[in-house]
């Protein structure tokens, strides 16, 4: 992981350290963090001591493994509380879940990834769980694909990494295939994937028509056992209706 461009070096390293801990599936040791970030252990250890003292990072009982702290949650919650798109979309997520009885999500594009901001889970026993706070490669999700499709092919090429990470054996793994898929998404106005992100699951997504380019979208995660053509048509229609209503509300807000 490289140095953040510009800014104060210690601040940039602090941001990268927190992002590394936030994205890790478990707590990381000092050695693991140094190897991942490419910084001296002494520098990282000093940052960790400061962040642990401030509550941004937590350390295990042995003092050897570090994870993201509760203060980070407070900041993340503050963002959600102040994000106008999240506020406007919240009742629509509830309505979508009630109508479709599938797990629905709100997410936004952030660089080459999508970040999930809100979810409402299906009442089915077999369902997809909430992804709030998770960051996923945009090319491997329907939400990411529909938001990448808002960009020009040149902008997509600049944004996504040279090597596309594969979540499953079905994930799009080369740029030519991604470009063809995004062109299809632009034509039909919605994205769909089957098992590109998670085995046994598919998803459908639409962009919220707000901003140029649009950076927020809605999606519905569906177990493949229920991913029929008729259900897909119902999901696409419902997602479009609510996305258009959200976009219309946002455009009518003062200062929009």
């Amino acid at each position: 992981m490289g140095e953040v461009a510009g800014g104060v070096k210690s601040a940039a390293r602090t941001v990268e350290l927190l992002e590394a801990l936030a994205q890790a599936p478990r707590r990381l040791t000092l050695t693991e963090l140094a190897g991942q970030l490419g910084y001296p252990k002494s520098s990282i250890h000093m940052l960790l001591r400061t962040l642990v003292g401030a509550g941004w990072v937590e350390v295990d009982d042995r003092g050897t493994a570090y994870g993201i702290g509760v203060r980070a949650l407070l900041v993340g919650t503050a963002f959600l509380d102040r994000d106008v798109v999240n506020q406007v979309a919240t009742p629509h997520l509830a309505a979508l879940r009630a109508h479709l009885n599938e797990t629905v999500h709100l997410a936004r594009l952030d660089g080459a990834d999508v970040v999930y901001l809100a979810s409402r889970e299906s009442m089915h026993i077999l369902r997809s769980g909430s992804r709030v706070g998770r960051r996923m490669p945009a090319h491997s999700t329907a939400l990411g694909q529909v938001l990448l499709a808002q960009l020009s092919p040149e902008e997509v090429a600049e944004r996504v990494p040279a090597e596309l990470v594969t979540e499953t054996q079905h994930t799009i793994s080369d740029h030519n295939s991604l470009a063809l898929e995004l062109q299809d998404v632009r034509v039909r106005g919605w994205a769909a994937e089957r098992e590109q992100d998670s085995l046994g699951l598919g998803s459908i997504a639409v962009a919220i028509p707000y901003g140029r380019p649009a950076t927020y979208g809605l999606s519905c995660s569906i177990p493949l056992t229920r991913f029929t053509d008729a259900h897909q048509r119902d999901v696409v229609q419902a997602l479009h209706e609510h996305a258009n209503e959200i976009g219309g509300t946002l455009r009518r807000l003062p200062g929009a």
Side-chain angles (χ1 to χ4, degrees), residues 104-116:
V104 291
H105 310 280
L106 169 72
R108 65 176 287 177
L109 188 65
D110 183 35
D113 300 326
V114 284
V115 179
Y116 288 80

Side-chain angles (χ1 to χ4, degrees), residues 9-129:
K9 181 185 292 186
S10 61
R13 290 185 174 183
T14 300
V15 171
E16 290 197 352
L17 175 58
L18 289 170
E19 289 184 343
L21 292 173
Q23 295 170 26
R26 57 175 175 80
R27 290 183 174 181
L28 301 177
T29 65
L30 178 60
T31 299
E32 288 172 325
L33 285 166
Q36 182 174 337
L37 298 173
Y39 301 145
K41 285 186 179 180
S42 58
S43 299
I44 296 177
H45 187 252
M46 290 177 62
L47 287 175
L48 286 170
R49 287 182 59 186
T50 301
L51 292 169
V52 167
W56 284 84
V57 171
E58 295 180 348
V59 61
D60 65 6
D61 293 337
R62 294 179 299 173
T64 59
Y66 300 87
I68 202 71
V70 70
R71 291 293 294 275
L73 173 62
L74 298 176
V75 172
T77 302
F79 169 80
L80 292 177
D81 289 343
R82 292 163 177 76
D83 182 40
V84 66
V85 180
N86 184 56
Q87 294 171 5
V88 172
T90 294
H92 290 274
L93 289 175
L96 277 167
R97 194 272 306 273
H99 171 61
L100 299 171
N101 198 13
E102 301 289 0
T103 300
V104 291
H105 310 280
L106 169 72
R108 65 176 287 177
L109 188 65
D110 183 35
D113 300 326
V114 284
V115 179
Y116 288 80
L117 304 177
S119 294
R120 294 295 182 273
E121 291 189 29
S122 165
M123 299 301 291
H124 288 293
I125 295 176
L126 180 60
R127 64 179 184 263
S128 167

Side-chain angles (χ1 to χ4, degrees), residues 119-196:
S119 294
R120 294 295 182 273
E121 291 189 29
S122 165
M123 299 301 291
H124 288 293
I125 295 176
L126 180 60
R127 64 179 184 263
S128 167
S130 172
R131 290 185 166 183
V132 174
R134 288 183 62 188
R135 174 184 293 270
M136 299 293 296
H139 69 273
S140 69
T141 68
L143 258 170
Q145 290 169 12
V146 82
L147 293 175
L148 287 175
Q150 308 303 306
L151 306 173
S152 69
E154 294 76 20
E155 289 170 328
V156 172
E158 292 176 358
R159 185 176 293 240
V160 299
E163 183 176 351
L164 300 180
V165 176
T166 55
E167 302 295 324
T168 76
Q169 64 267 39
H170 304 289
T171 306
I172 293 175
S173 58
D174 67 88
H175 286 261
N176 287 336
S177 297
L178 178 61
L180 291 173
E181 181 63 28
L182 295 184
Q183 183 55 36
D184 287 343
V185 172
R186 294 184 185 103
V187 171
R188 65 175 178 257
W190 50 274
E193 59 83 17
R194 294 177 184 241
E195 298 190 294
Q196 290 192 41

Side-chain angles (χ1 to χ4, degrees), residues 209 243-253:
N244 288 335
E245 290 179 15
I246 294 168
T249 299
L250 290 167
R251 289 190 296 273
R252 290 191 296 271
L253 292 177

Side-chain angles (χ1 to χ4, degrees), residues 199-216:
L199 293 177
L201 286 174
S203 62
I204 300 168
V206 303
I208 295 173
Y210 177 69
R212 295 186 180 181
T215 56
Y216 287 80

